[in-house]
Amino acid sequence: MAMSAGTFSESETHVIITYTQDDGTTERLDTEDLSALEAAAIEEAMDDVPWRVIESRLQVQDPTALRAILWAFRRRTEPGLKFREFDVPGWRRRVRARITREEISDALTNIMREALAKSEDSMIDAVTPHLRKLAEDPDDVDAVLDGLGKGHLTRRAKESAG
């Protein structure tokens, strides 16, 4: 399911990139830790793609966007590393973009505002599986729903009703 442009707040989306290394350990990279120069270098390396577009491409696990984030962090220790030469073998199983609880809260709050205006929960219900998939911790989705007074839409509520 694609998320609507208004789902996430207009501010930058906080994205966590996880990379499983050859030895099985997981490296966690946070886009908030990028400097302005690193973000600009990513935009330039991706043919002047604006940062907001890069963030949306991360949300759909775009391989070029994922590779660009890894490349920017690698350049900290390997300054001469060229983007066009940087590869991530097995990227589908090794690299993931995830969102934080704060992003989940922002998204569900925005959806809830829209849903309340229409007196319906279907919008929230429709997006929660996608948010669980994107979430760094899928249980954060239920915690945010509980906090918004929508506990009846949580996974455990649905399981106990079924």
Side-chain angles (χ1 to χ4, degrees):
M1 169 182 188
M3 311 246 339
S4 70
T7 302
F8 289 99
S9 62
E10 294 302 314
S11 63
E12 289 188 10
T13 304
H14 182 185
V15 180
I16 305 294
I17 307 299
T18 57
Y19 173 67
T20 305
Q21 300 180 38
D22 291 337
D23 65 3
T25 60
T26 301
E27 183 178 4
R28 188 176 182 274
L29 308 168
D30 189 332
T31 57
E32 283 196 351
D33 293 336
L34 290 168
S35 72
L37 288 175
E38 288 169 327
I42 291 168
E43 289 175 330
E44 184 179 324
M46 291 181 61
D47 295 325
D48 296 320
V49 172
W51 185 255
R52 65 180 156 59
V53 174
I54 293 168
E55 287 179 327
S56 66
R57 288 175 63 177
L58 287 170
Q59 291 176 25
V60 295
Q61 311 301 315
D62 176 81
T64 304
L66 292 166
R67 184 172 65 99
I69 300 297
L70 284 171
W71 166 77
F73 278 96
R74 293 292 181 274
R75 282 182 19 148
R76 291 177 176 180
T77 56
E78 301 173 51
L81 189 61
K82 306 252 185 283
F83 181 66
R84 69 181 176 277
E85 297 169 5
F86 180 70
D87 194 12
V88 183
W91 72 272
R92 284 184 192 269
R93 71 178 179 281
R94 297 177 80 176
V95 184
R96 293 275 184 270
R98 296 290 182 244
I99 57 174
T100 64
R101 186 178 194 148
E102 181 180 344
E103 300 302 327
I104 293 165
S105 180
D106 287 349
L108 286 174
T109 299
N110 289 340
I111 292 167
M112 192 164 148
R113 275 191 211 114
E114 292 175 30
L116 288 173
K118 297 177 182 180
S119 299
E120 61 183 43
D121 286 338
S122 62
M123 290 170 53
I124 297 169
D125 209 26
V127 78
T128 53
H130 182 68
L131 286 173
R132 281 190 185 93
K133 189 175 179 180
L134 263 180
E136 185 177 19
D137 180 352
D139 290 337
D140 285 345
V141 176
D142 288 341
V144 170
L145 284 169
D146 280 337
L148 292 172
K150 293 292 183 178
H152 63 283
L153 296 175
T154 65
R155 187 178 336 174
R156 71 178 176 284
K158 290 181 182 299
E159 290 169 356
S160 66

